[in-house]
Amino acid sequence: MRSTQIRSTFLDFFTSRGHRQVPSSPLIPSDPTLLLANAGMNQFKPYFLGEVTPEFPRATTIQKCARTSDIDNVGRTNRHATFFEMMGNFSFGDYFKADAIAFAWELLTQGYNLEKDRLWITVYQDDDEAEQLWRKIGVPADRIQRLGMEDNFWSMGVPGPCGPCSEVNYDRGPAFGREGGPAVDGERYVEIWNLVFMQYQRGEGDKNGDFPILGDLAQQSIDTGLGLDRLAAILQDVENVCGTDLLRPTLTTVQELAGRDYPGSGEEKVSFQVVAEHARSIAYLIADGVLPAKDGRGYVLRRLMRRAVRHARLLGIDQPVLAPATASVIANLGNVWPELTAQAALIEQVVTAEEESFTRTLAQGTRLLNAAITRSRESRSTTLTGETAFELHDTFGFPVELTVEAARDAGLTVDEDRFADLLAEQQRRAKAGGKAKTAEALRRQDVYRELSARHGRTDFVGYDRLNAEATALGLISDGTAVPSADQGTTLELVLDRSPFYAESGGQVGDTGTIRTANGTLLEVLDTKPGLERFHVHTVRVAEGEIRVGEQVEALVDGTRREAVARSHSATHVLHAMLRRTLGDHARQHGSLVDAGRLRFDFAHFSAVDRTQLAAIETLVNDSLLADPEVRVWHASRAEAEAAGATALFGEKYGDHVRIVDIGDFSRELCGGTHIGHGSNAGPVRIVGEASIGSNLRRIEALTGRDALNYYDTERRLLEELSDLLGTRPQNAPDALRKRIDALTTAQQELGRLRETELRSRAQQLAASARPVASGRGRVVVQKMTGLGPAELRSLAHHTADLLDAVHAAVVLGTEHNGKALLAAAVTRSLHDTGTDASRILIAAARAVGGGAGGKGALASAGGRRPEALDEALKLATQDATRELTS
């Protein structure tokens, strides 16, 4: 059964049983506690927590998942992968254990025709109910095993929904391992389907990794995951996913690049599988908006790329491997996951640039490693320090496996324990920082959750109006609910309805005022989202006192809102014109939409030059000047995507979405505020473009009045410049260019004259050279005036050149900008005897409070004590004499 049929069989089975088919969410999750989507239930977490009421009680998905916790096992086991498709069915307070178990058994034994006697079941050690349900359905007791929390109790690894689970395992036969069931051998009895019975909510874990159960969830729910990769390997009767139709074409590509067949065992087999498996992960991550970076999900991608390249090099593949390998993934799976095809150009450009960069890193790391090995040998040590291995790994991205291998070839070992300690300490620091931030956010959200449970979500009325009457539902100070607040206090306010837009999708939150009937005035400083559709207003009590339960009149700052709306519509148009000009890969990766200005981050691989920026700005303004209608409409997520609406990575969308059309060239899912017609948004003035990271660019622009003010400032500057040049504004560039050319010519002539003067002074100084006492050489020591550092060095050098026929030393000093400067030069003949000019200035430099620098026949020094210059020249004379007489 091919993978396409496996997918369709799964979805058809559950949709025929009342499940809503929901598209996969992107690998970049909207959940701030997750780095990457790692389970099918991620997008449904608010449903399980009871924060949001689902529009359907049952759902089924095929979710893209990325997990790198077991990255080192890829290629070494038959069941681990860094990317996989998780087929799942979900119940939100509808059916529970009995139906979930019945569905799984029916689909596996009838839909996929798996042999019943090869299916083994594990249940949580205390879950009597689950075991009885499996026995009732026909599974004998000797093929049901009870396991502990580590194996059969599921959670996301962070606070949230959790519960006992039951796993269905398939016996692959004696060739894969020992008898005894999944409790004995996970390679032979491979887990294919995990049925999670969502019953509880867990809290933050303690230092031992144990976590408290905070209580029951609002409703019992079901979350299951059937791994497509593992099931495909069974149904297609191959050893692992690399042999299935999901990855076999990519493995074939790697074989062609290596010039040999995929072996049946050994380290080469591991390398073949790592390259093929990682290529798939890399393609999906980039297609979903992840780009290489030094931390976060970008580091996950970079690590996968570097690991794949390293294993390709171990296979002897010296040519680029990531581009052809990911291209085979796209060709094979792009019809199922169209984002792969849509982002093919982006994927190719990213992997090519990253592989080229890492190839240079490998070369640099190898040089540093060879130097460390040489030092170890010279010190007669048999061990390369853990600090060296960690520096190579952390600073240069050099894989520790390569360090160990190279050291072994050189007859050395690596202190891997010390390396592991340093790495663990770094990870502990990073994890502690992340946990602290997560815990702080969760504590604050507990207060929001309590308010939401009591009062429901905020009724946002701000699309159609700028004012509203509302009730103060809650006041929050430093994460704690308070009953009232006095004048001068800054805190958070929650209303039952609000015209204030809460910061989202890059658009800043609204500001304005809130008044009570008794005259209390609150200044709204910002508005942010709490929980889903739950607005939190940051306010300062300007006059009076505010109490929970009071009626208020909320008023948005209309002028600011209008300016923000102009920027938001302009951002959509800029996005469309960037993709039109640079290519479809130039997709949004972040934005800031503020009053009169915008910041737009997008994927691109080089600077956007001035000509391109001008063309983009013209396209944006021409599009707005045509006065396109800005139309807002609503549809299901599937309908919107079918209509070509662009969804932005990292944004959270419901099943029903809001779409903003601008003319016929821009269609985006968007919850922000906009102007009614394009002409109201302009003009737009691009004021900056720069890199903000690997393969990421940022454009900054002004809109509306701010853009006009910028144009006006530029006009006034041009007029002022024209007046200074005595010409008309349109002639100013040519006039300035001529002035610059004339100035350059004059400076060059002045430089020639200055050089002639210096050579003349050098002749005078050379003529004044006096012999040292022994008569073996000559010395020039002179205090000068009117010279800068470069001129002082040049004069010393010219003087020494004129004295080259004898051993001679020249020492010059001057006071410049309140500092003492010294320069020393020795003739070539003296330098050939082993005298460096810097030795003449060591004592002199100390005298003026500085140090000497330079190598060879010319040196300089300086210090902050010009009053000691005479003393310094005397010391330099003594040292020069010593060098000439020694």
Side-chain angles (χ1 to χ4, degrees):
M1 184 180 289
R2 292 183 60 81
S3 57
T4 51
Q5 189 179 352
I6 297 174
R7 294 189 194 92
S8 62
T9 298
F10 186 90
L11 293 174
D12 290 347
F13 179 88
F14 282 104
T15 54
S16 68
R17 287 157 179 78
H19 291 67
R20 171 78 66 87
Q21 182 177 336
V22 178
S24 171
S25 64
L27 286 169
I28 299 178
S30 56
D31 188 335
T33 65
L34 291 174
L35 197 64
L36 293 165
N38 62 4
M41 62 78 63
N42 289 166
Q43 65 175 310
F44 303 123
K45 181 178 173 183
Y47 298 166
F48 290 122
L49 285 172
E51 296 173 355
V52 178
T53 302
E55 298 179 12
F56 40 83
R58 303 179 178 196
T60 183
T61 65
I62 298 179
Q63 173 65 46
K64 296 175 291 186
C65 295
R67 293 182 193 171
T68 56
S69 55
D70 294 313
I71 189 172
D72 293 329
N73 289 324
V74 173
R76 300 190 180 279
T77 72
N78 292 319
R79 54 197 171 93
H80 288 104
T82 57
F83 172 88
F84 54 92
E85 295 178 43
M86 185 66 84
M87 304 187 294
N89 59 288
F90 307 88
S91 164
F92 312 116
D94 187 11
Y95 61 84
F96 200 48
K97 292 183 184 179
D99 285 335
I101 288 171
F103 286 152
W105 188 254
E106 181 183 355
L107 178 56
L108 290 175
T109 60
Q110 299 179 33
Y112 294 121
N113 295 317
L114 294 180
E115 306 96 313
K116 295 180 180 180
D117 59 358
R118 300 186 77 167
L119 296 176
W120 287 66
I121 309 300
T122 63
V123 298
Y124 182 52
Q125 58 192 7
D126 298 330
D127 197 345
D128 297 333
E129 180 187 7
E131 179 176 358
Q132 290 303 315
L133 288 168
W134 281 113
R135 292 180 66 175
K136 183 178 179 181
I137 214 166
V139 181
D142 60 359
R143 290 212 308 275
I144 302 175
Q145 296 182 327
R146 294 192 181 221
L147 298 176
M149 181 167 285
E150 182 177 350
D151 296 294
N152 276 81
F153 197 97
W154 192 91
S155 79
M156 296 175 63
V158 294
C162 65
C165 62
S166 181
E167 296 174 350
V168 183
N169 306 266
Y170 183 82
D171 180 5
R172 303 211 67 186
F176 287 83
R178 300 172 295 165
E179 293 185 1
V184 173
D185 194 324
E187 283 294 295
R188 172 174 172 173
Y189 302 89
V190 63
E191 174 206 338
I192 56 175
W193 203 341
N194 189 10
L195 313 179
V196 180
F197 310 127
M198 290 285 187
Q199 296 176 252
Y200 310 117
Q201 182 175 343
R202 64 161 283 187
E204 186 70 53
D206 60 21
K207 62 181 180 181
N208 299 318
D210 298 326
F211 58 83
I213 300 296
L214 301 180
D216 293 336
L217 292 172
Q219 56 189 13
Q220 293 182 331
S221 298
I222 290 294
D223 156 32
T224 86
L226 173 59
L228 173 64
D229 290 26
R230 296 182 182 182
L231 183 58
I234 292 167
L235 295 177
Q236 296 172 21
D237 194 24
V238 293
E239 186 179 36
N240 56 58
V241 67
C242 287
T244 69
D245 65 333
L246 293 164
L247 273 182
R248 185 73 207 188
T250 304
L251 184 64
T252 299
T253 298
V254 180
Q255 291 180 87
E256 292 169 351
L257 292 169
R260 59 184 181 279
D261 291 337
Y262 170 60
S265 60
E267 290 301 310
E268 279 198 356
K269 177 186 177 184
V270 172
S271 292
F272 271 108
Q273 291 184 199
V274 166
V275 177
E277 196 281 334
H278 284 11
R280 180 176 60 164
S281 300
I282 291 163
Y284 277 91
L285 285 167
I286 297 172
D288 269 10
V290 181
L291 290 174
K294 293 181 180 180
D295 53 19
R297 57 181 66 97
Y299 177 73
V300 172
L301 173 60
R302 176 163 283 167
R303 185 184 179 198
L304 289 168
M305 288 180 169
R306 292 184 167 188
R307 198 165 187 265
V309 171
R310 173 182 171 265
H311 278 275
R313 301 296 180 263
L314 292 176
L315 291 172
I317 304 174
D318 293 327
Q319 66 196 86
V321 66
L322 293 182
T326 52
S328 72
V329 173
I330 297 166
N332 184 39
L333 297 169
N335 61 326
V336 179
W337 299 98
E339 57 267 38
L340 292 173
T341 303
Q343 298 302 317
L346 174 68
I347 293 167
E348 180 183 10
Q349 288 172 304
V350 171
V351 299
T352 298
E354 190 69 16
E355 184 165 358
E356 289 175 353
S357 173
F358 184 52
T359 298
R360 292 191 294 271
T361 295
L362 280 173
Q364 181 184 25
T366 300
R367 288 194 297 272
L368 294 168
L369 178 58
N370 289 339
I373 289 172
T374 299
R375 288 195 301 271
S376 294
R377 283 173 167 170
E378 289 175 349
S379 65
R380 298 188 178 182
S381 172
T382 60
T383 302
L384 203 64
T385 67
E387 283 78 7
T388 297
F390 182 74
E391 181 186 7
L392 285 164
H393 163 81
D394 189 52
T395 305
F396 301 100
F398 199 77
V400 68
E401 297 91 342
L402 283 184
T403 302
V404 172
E405 183 180 345
R408 184 174 61 243
D409 293 343
L412 303 174
T413 60
V414 175
D415 188 348
E416 294 186 68
D417 290 341
R418 177 58 179 159
F419 171 83
D421 289 343
L422 291 168
L423 185 62
E425 178 59 30
Q426 182 193 58
Q427 291 171 340
R428 274 195 297 271
R429 288 196 301 268
K431 191 174 182 180
K435 277 190 172 181
K437 291 179 181 177
T438 300
E440 180 183 345
L442 289 169
R443 283 195 301 271
R444 183 173 293 274
Q445 284 199 349
D446 283 342
V447 180
Y448 300 157
R449 188 171 290 116
E450 182 181 348
L451 284 169
S452 181
R454 273 192 279 129
H455 303 291
R457 66 194 186 195
T458 302
D459 181 15
F460 175 60
V461 297
Y463 287 132
D464 304 316
R465 54 193 298 185
L466 297 178
N467 67 307
E469 293 182 355
T471 302
L473 300 180
L475 296 168
I476 305 158
S477 178
D478 296 327
T480 303
V482 295
S484 63
D486 297 325
Q487 183 172 328
T489 306
T490 299
L491 73 166
E492 294 175 337
L493 167 65
V494 177
L495 303 174
D496 63 336
R497 63 201 308 257
S498 174
F500 290 90
Y501 181 83
E503 178 183 325
S504 180
Q507 179 174 330
V508 297
D510 278 335
T511 61
T513 58
I514 294 175
R515 290 184 180 273
T516 67
N518 61 12
T520 296
L521 173 64
L522 309 178
E523 296 176 353
V524 180
L525 308 177
D526 197 5
T527 310
K528 293 183 181 295
L531 299 172
E532 186 167 320
R533 300 187 184 180
F534 186 61
H535 294 206
V536 179
H537 310 80
T538 301
V539 300
R540 188 179 72 84
V541 185
E543 298 174 14
E545 179 188 38
I546 178 70
R547 291 183 174 277
V548 172
E550 283 193 279
Q551 298 299 303
V552 301
E553 176 73 21
L555 179 64
V556 174
D557 181 340
T559 301
R560 181 175 180 272
R561 162 72 82 82
E562 185 180 13
V564 172
R566 280 195 292 266
S567 293
H568 205 152
S569 297
T571 299
H572 283 217
V573 178
L574 175 63
H575 188 193
M577 298 309 135
L578 277 169
R579 294 174 69 181
R580 178 183 296 182
T581 305
L582 303 177
D584 194 57
H585 68 274
R587 304 176 72 183
Q588 180 173 342
H589 281 264
S591 67
L592 171 67
V593 178
D594 205 343
R597 69 188 184 98
L598 65 89
R599 189 177 69 215
F600 190 82
D601 303 337
F602 60 100
H604 197 52
F605 311 96
S606 61
V608 184
D609 63 39
R610 189 178 302 173
T611 302
Q612 287 177 310
L613 282 177
I616 291 165
E617 182 179 284
T618 299
L619 280 172
V620 170
N621 284 308
D622 286 349
S623 300
L624 294 173
L625 191 61
D627 201 26
E629 180 185 2
V630 179
R631 188 170 72 92
V632 176
W633 53 289
H634 297 79
S636 70
R637 174 76 181 273
E639 290 169 338
E641 290 180 349
T646 300
L648 304 183
F649 294 126
E651 287 300 308
K652 190 173 185 178
Y653 302 103
D655 189 53
H656 280 77
V657 293
R658 183 175 184 262
I659 306 103
V660 175
D661 288 351
I662 302 181
D664 60 0
F665 53 81
S666 173
R667 172 169 288 171
E668 294 190 15
L669 304 187
C670 181
T673 62
H674 290 265
I675 41 79
H677 285 80
S679 60
N680 297 337
V684 174
R685 180 69 164 108
I686 295 175
V687 295
E689 190 275 347
S691 170
I692 57 167
S694 178
N695 305 317
L696 278 180
R697 310 296 301 180
R698 170 173 290 170
I699 279 179
E700 296 189 61
L702 301 175
T703 61
R705 292 187 183 89
D706 290 81
L708 289 172
N709 290 339
Y710 190 87
Y711 283 122
D712 189 52
T713 300
E714 288 183 322
R715 178 184 56 78
R716 283 188 277 104
L717 288 172
L718 180 57
E719 289 174 348
E720 184 178 349
L721 179 62
S722 302
D723 290 342
L724 290 172
L725 293 170
T727 188
R728 300 174 68 182
Q730 58 266 37
N731 298 327
D734 284 340
L736 181 59
R737 196 174 294 111
K738 289 177 182 178
R739 294 286 182 94
I740 292 173
D741 290 343
L743 180 61
T744 301
T745 300
Q747 288 174 332
Q748 291 172 346
E749 181 61 27
L750 183 62
R752 284 192 292 270
L753 292 172
R754 190 65 170 160
E755 184 68 15
T756 300
E757 180 189 357
L758 286 175
R759 290 185 180 277
S760 175
R761 295 179 74 174
Q763 290 176 344
Q764 295 172 7
L765 288 171
S768 70
R770 51 189 174 80
V772 295
S774 65
R776 294 180 58 197
R778 304 178 76 79
V779 65
V780 176
V781 179
Q782 186 71 44
K783 186 175 182 179
M784 312 298 296
T785 59
L787 297 178
E791 292 174 325
L792 193 70
R793 290 193 300 270
S794 179
L795 182 57
H797 173 68
H798 287 324
T799 304
D801 274 352
L802 293 172
L803 296 169
D804 198 46
V806 298
H807 286 2
V810 179
V811 181
L812 305 177
T814 190
E815 182 179 345
H816 181 74
N817 291 339
K819 295 181 181 180
L821 299 180
L822 293 162
V826 298
T827 57
R828 188 179 297 105
S829 58
L830 180 59
H831 180 252
D832 289 343
T833 66
T835 297
D836 280 347
S838 59
R839 287 159 57 177
I840 297 173
L841 294 181
I842 293 174
R846 281 198 294 265
V848 296
K855 293 182 178 180
L858 183 65
S860 59
R864 297 184 177 277
R865 296 181 57 209
E867 67 276 9
L869 187 58
D870 291 335
E871 178 189 353
L873 289 172
K874 185 182 297 183
L875 291 170
T877 301
Q878 294 171 1
D879 288 340
T881 301
R882 185 178 62 253
E883 292 293 332
L884 288 164
T885 57
S886 61

